[in-house]
Amino acid sequence: MPAPSSDPRHDEPSLTAWVNHLEDRCPAHRWEVIDGGVVASPQRDGPHARALTRIVRRFVAAGLDDGETEVLQGVGLSLPTGREDFAVPDLAVVNADIDEHLVGHKSYDSACFRLVLEVTAENRGADLGAKVAAYAEAKVPVYVVVDRKRQRLHVLTDPVDSEYATHRFHSPGQQVTLPASIGAKVTLDVAEILTAGRAKRTPGQS
């Protein structure tokens, strides 16, 4: 397959061209551009998808997938950190008119996003590092991280510059009510979500 074509304004191919090239070569991966660097996330496993399903059920039951908002998976969010920067959160609560606000490489204006959520995988460091800064700079009001490794659910709110002024983490046994700004009252059972995010043991496994 040929290498991506160069941006006529630069000697090197544009990041968007590289992402298009990589998506063609490795479609099972999720490709993002964060702070000027290409970030790859491998195909998710079953427990990752199961945790997302538990959360989607709560959001849909609260009415967030009707009327003024929608609940979407894998939709691109344009970032202000670079001309070609964009992220693809695992889950988002967005304004219902999002289709009118496509601004970049399969990505939409960050003002459409009321909440973004990530379930950690191999790229846990990005979810709790670079993406915190990126989503804060994009002024996403609520960022939720399901940290499967540390068995915590993080809720970050009040973005200021490149960080969130409020960052709380919650452990199994706690119930977490998300900010009303997302459009409805949603309470998450931390244990339910973290348990769903663990691989199920089969008979004979230790």
Side-chain angles (χ1 to χ4, degrees):
M1 180 175 294
S5 59
S6 297
D7 184 321
R9 294 167 293 180
H10 303 281
D11 292 330
E12 296 295 325
S14 70
L15 288 172
T16 300
W18 275 113
V19 168
N20 287 332
H21 177 71
L22 292 167
E23 286 176 342
D24 288 340
R25 292 290 299 271
C26 306
H29 284 60
R30 179 177 61 177
W31 299 96
E32 303 166 291
V33 179
I34 299 175
D35 200 19
V38 177
V39 177
S41 301
Q43 185 172 351
R44 302 309 202 229
D45 59 16
H48 182 281
R50 192 175 298 117
L52 276 179
T53 297
R54 298 296 187 276
I55 296 166
V56 169
R57 287 175 182 169
R58 294 294 181 102
F59 285 178
V60 171
L64 286 172
D65 201 39
D66 295 297
E68 296 183 355
T69 58
E70 291 184 89
V71 180
L72 303 178
Q73 298 187 45
V75 63
L77 182 159
S78 181
L79 297 171
T81 48
R83 182 173 57 86
E84 298 178 271
D85 283 12
F86 71 97
V88 185
D90 287 322
L91 187 69
V93 176
V94 302
N95 295 339
D97 66 349
I98 188 171
D99 289 352
E100 300 174 18
H101 300 280
L102 182 67
V103 296
H105 175 74
K106 303 177 186 177
S107 60
Y108 297 84
D109 189 332
S110 60
C112 296
F113 291 75
R114 301 190 182 195
L115 171 148
V116 294
L117 182 145
E118 303 281 7
V119 177
T120 61
E122 290 85 348
N123 62 340
R124 176 180 178 274
D127 290 339
L128 290 167
K131 284 192 174 183
V132 172
Y135 289 142
E137 289 197 37
K139 304 303 179 191
V140 177
V142 183
Y143 177 31
V144 177
V145 183
V146 180
D147 186 350
R148 295 195 292 168
K149 181 176 182 179
R150 295 289 179 86
Q151 290 292 285
R152 295 173 175 175
L153 189 145
H154 299 252
V155 179
L156 297 86
T157 58
D158 308 311
V160 179
D161 297 327
S162 60
E163 61 184 10
Y164 283 90
T166 304
H167 181 171
R168 295 189 174 93
F169 63 85
H170 307 270
S171 303
Q174 294 183 298
Q175 303 281 322
V176 180
T177 300
L178 299 176
S181 62
I182 67 174
K185 182 179 179 179
V186 177
T187 300
L188 301 177
D189 184 319
V190 178
E192 175 192 24
I193 294 168
L194 291 173
T195 299
R198 294 197 296 265
K200 294 181 179 180
R201 295 186 181 276
T202 57
Q205 284 186 316
S206 58

